[in-house]
């Protein structure tokens, strides 16, 4: 068990490295242990991660030949988006989950990749597979045209990326046998055993669970037009619901209830309203708030220490809140890898750095680019229609 606690601004944590992890979804020969970094994209290299094995008390996994079946009921399912721009963050997030998990082999990652990303889903899958040769994962292709006509402009262009809306469709994209999933943003690191979050109870008929913040001023998330319309603002002012803010970058989702309740459709309806009448300024968060705020299973705040990227305009530094921490989240404009490369890091960025597997180029900086790349490597994926 790994503990990560913060008291009066003093951070203390113990890192436990587990032994080697067994096979996962892969199709290319594993490299020798001393063969150096993996280079899949031009000048884009990651060191191969250490391997982590299950402890003695972990479940025995069901396999189909050499592959772990995603339908194994003992698995912990995690969904994340995967794109070239945030790839460095995604790799660090996966590394952090495995490093602190008691049963790392029992974690199955579902990566959602955009159909027209500068690096193709096939290339991204190859890079993940090379960096984590033993990882159990599957790549699902997200068709951006499914939401492009529903997205409205936001206060920050990055929030308009169609991949930000992929979380709305996890119930459609993931295998029907996957009845629960943890959704994680790409700018997080987990410093506790993810199984603790996985086993959280969703009471009653609740569909999602997340840390809630009930003292937040809700009016700032929506425009005056929204609050002046009783039909729209009634989503929050009805006696049945006391709305509380929650961050959608960390959620436990019951996919059975999600599918039965057609929650993708409910979110889309509010996005259609936004296209006709501007009722909010942020990107994918407000529709989630409109559908779920007031009906979320409240989880311990330690599972989303968010806002570490600063505000959505200036990206200024922020400090951690006192108390125990299980997950650090660089939501906001500033990302730790960008600030570290620029040699202008915030203090909290050094907490992200130990999980970074990226190997910089000769200039010591990370430069994403939009060249087209091709790979003949095996690709396990499913399409979203």
């Amino acid at each position: 068990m790994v503990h990560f606690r913060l008291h009066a601004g003093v951070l203390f944590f113990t890192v436990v490295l587990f032994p080697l992890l067994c096979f996962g979804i892969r199709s290319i020969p594993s490299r020798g242990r001393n063969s150096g970094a993996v280079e899949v994209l031009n000048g884009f290299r990651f060191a191969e991660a250490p391997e982590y094995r299950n402890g003695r008390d972990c479940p025995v996994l069901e396999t189909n030949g050499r592959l772990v079946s995603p339908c194994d009921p003992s698995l912990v399912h995690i969904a994340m988006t995967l794109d070239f721009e945030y790839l460095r963050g995604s790799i660090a997030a996966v590394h952090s989950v495995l490093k602190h998990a008691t049963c790392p082999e029992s974690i199955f990652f579902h990566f959602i990749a955009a159909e027209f990303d500068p690096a193709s889903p096939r290339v991204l899958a190859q890079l993940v597979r090379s960096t984590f040769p033993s990882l159990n994962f599957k790549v699902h292709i997200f068709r951006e045209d499914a939401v492009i006509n529903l997205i409205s402009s936001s206060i920050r262009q990055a929030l308009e990326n169609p991949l930000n809306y992929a979380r709305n469709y996890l119930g459609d994209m993931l295998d029907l046998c996957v009845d629960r999933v943890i959704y994680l943003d790409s700018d997080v690191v987990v410093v506790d055993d993810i199984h603790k979050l996985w086993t959280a109870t969703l009471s009653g008929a609740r569909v999602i669970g997340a840390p809630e913040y009930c003292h937040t001023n809700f009016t700032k998330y929506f425009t005056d037009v929204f609050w002046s319309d009783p039909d729209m603002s009634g989503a929050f002012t009805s006696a049945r619901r006391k709305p509380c803010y929650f961050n959608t970058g960390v959620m436990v989702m019951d996919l059975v209830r999600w599918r039965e309740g057609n929650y993708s459709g409910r979110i889309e309806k509010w996005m259609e309203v936004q296209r006709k009448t501007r009722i909010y300024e942020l990107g994918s968060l407000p529709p989630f708030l409109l559908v779920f705020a007031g009906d979320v299973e409240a989880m311990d705040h330690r599972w989303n220490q968010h806002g570490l990227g600063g505000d959505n305009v200036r990206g200024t530094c922020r400090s951690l809140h006192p108390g125990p921490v299980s997950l650090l989240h660089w939501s906001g404009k500033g990302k730790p890898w960008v600030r570290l490369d620029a040699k202008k890091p915030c203090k909290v960025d050094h907490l992200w750095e130990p999980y970074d597997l990226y190997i910089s180029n000769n200039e010591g900086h990370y430069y994403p680019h939009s060249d087209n790349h091709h790979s003949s490597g095996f690709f396990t994926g499913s399409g979203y229609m």
Side-chain angles (χ1 to χ4, degrees):
M1 181 179 298
V2 179
H3 299 279
F4 189 100
R5 299 184 66 86
L6 175 72
H7 292 285
V10 179
L11 196 63
F12 169 78
F13 64 92
T14 303
V15 176
V16 178
L17 293 178
F18 293 94
L20 300 178
L21 174 73
C22 71
F23 72 90
I25 293 181
R26 57 186 296 186
S27 64
I28 55 178
S30 61
R31 302 177 298 106
R33 180 56 58 186
N34 298 318
S35 58
V38 177
E39 182 169 348
V40 176
L41 307 177
N42 293 345
F44 201 92
R45 299 184 300 159
F46 287 92
E48 183 176 306
E51 297 188 27
Y52 304 94
R53 284 193 183 278
N54 278 357
R56 290 184 177 180
D57 296 331
C58 296
V60 177
L61 299 175
E62 298 178 6
T63 61
N64 178 14
R66 295 184 60 207
L67 305 181
V68 171
S69 168
C71 295
D72 186 330
S74 67
L75 290 173
V76 172
H77 294 275
I78 298 176
M80 297 178 63
T81 57
L82 191 66
D83 68 328
F84 188 39
E85 183 177 1
Y86 285 88
L87 180 61
R88 189 170 171 185
S90 299
I91 294 294
V94 173
H95 186 201
S96 72
V97 170
L98 297 176
K99 190 170 187 176
H100 294 276
T102 302
C103 300
E105 295 176 73
S106 301
I107 300 173
F108 196 102
F109 281 89
H110 299 267
F111 295 113
I112 315 301
E115 187 176 17
F116 301 112
D117 191 82
S120 72
R122 185 185 298 273
V123 169
L124 293 172
Q126 182 186 1
L127 191 147
V128 171
R129 194 167 52 248
S130 300
T131 308
F132 303 100
S134 303
L135 189 67
N136 300 312
F137 76 94
K138 186 174 183 178
V139 174
H140 307 260
I141 300 176
F142 180 65
R143 287 181 50 187
E144 297 166 288
D145 58 2
V147 295
I148 196 68
N149 293 326
L150 291 171
I151 297 175
S152 57
S153 60
S154 182
I155 60 173
R156 187 160 61 91
Q157 187 174 1
L159 300 177
E160 300 170 22
N161 186 336
L163 205 56
N164 289 336
Y165 296 83
R167 73 196 83 186
N168 301 3
Y169 302 96
L170 292 177
D172 302 311
M173 286 187 287
L174 273 55
D175 304 82
L176 289 177
C177 62
V178 179
D179 55 15
R180 171 181 279 225
V181 69
I182 297 172
Y183 176 81
L184 297 178
D185 271 351
S186 296
D187 51 2
V188 309
V189 292
V190 177
V191 291
D192 203 344
D193 188 354
I194 197 69
H195 192 264
K196 297 177 184 178
L197 183 60
W198 175 255
T199 56
T201 300
L202 297 182
S203 60
R206 285 179 172 149
V207 180
I208 65 172
E212 284 191 311
Y213 304 87
C214 294
H215 299 293
T216 301
N217 181 3
F218 237 62
T219 59
K220 67 180 181 179
Y221 291 101
F222 299 91
T223 65
D224 292 340
V225 172
F226 173 85
W227 292 112
S228 64
D229 187 317
D231 291 332
M232 288 191 287
S233 61
F236 295 133
T237 57
S238 65
R240 184 182 64 86
R241 302 177 68 184
K242 179 185 177 183
C244 293
Y245 169 85
F246 66 97
N247 181 281
T248 54
V250 181
M251 297 184 290
V252 179
M253 307 172 69
D254 185 316
L255 295 183
V256 175
R257 295 172 184 169
W258 182 283
R259 294 164 181 138
E260 291 175 347
N262 186 28
Y263 282 92
S264 297
R266 297 188 191 189
I267 292 172
E268 281 187 342
K269 286 182 179 179
W270 281 111
M271 294 174 67
E272 290 169 355
V273 172
Q274 165 74 352
R275 290 285 291 176
K276 297 176 183 177
T277 305
R278 193 168 183 82
I279 59 174
Y280 54 80
E281 302 297 337
L282 290 173
S284 60
L285 171 63
F288 255 88
L289 294 178
L290 285 161
V291 172
F292 290 108
D295 198 18
V296 173
E297 186 73 31
M299 297 184 172
D300 197 303
H301 288 180
R302 68 188 300 156
W303 284 106
N304 195 350
Q305 176 84 235
H306 68 280
L308 301 183
D311 62 60
N312 276 312
V313 178
R314 296 183 298 274
T316 53
C317 291
R318 291 186 179 179
S319 58
L320 295 175
H321 298 294
V325 179
S326 294
L327 184 147
L328 299 161
H329 187 186
W330 277 261
S331 58
K333 183 179 179 181
K335 302 305 172 189
W337 55 91
V338 175
R339 296 192 295 220
L340 285 164
D341 282 354
K343 303 190 184 308
K344 295 180 180 179
C346 296
K347 289 183 178 179
V348 294
D349 296 342
H350 295 293
L351 303 177
W352 178 89
E353 198 170 12
Y355 305 98
D356 185 18
L357 293 172
Y358 174 71
I359 296 178
S360 63
N361 60 22
N362 294 335
E363 287 74 36
H365 294 284
Y366 161 63
Y367 297 107
H369 51 84
S370 58
D371 296 341
N372 291 323
H373 304 282
H374 302 279
S375 168
S376 59
F378 174 79
F379 171 62
T380 299
S382 64
Y384 166 70
M385 303 302 291

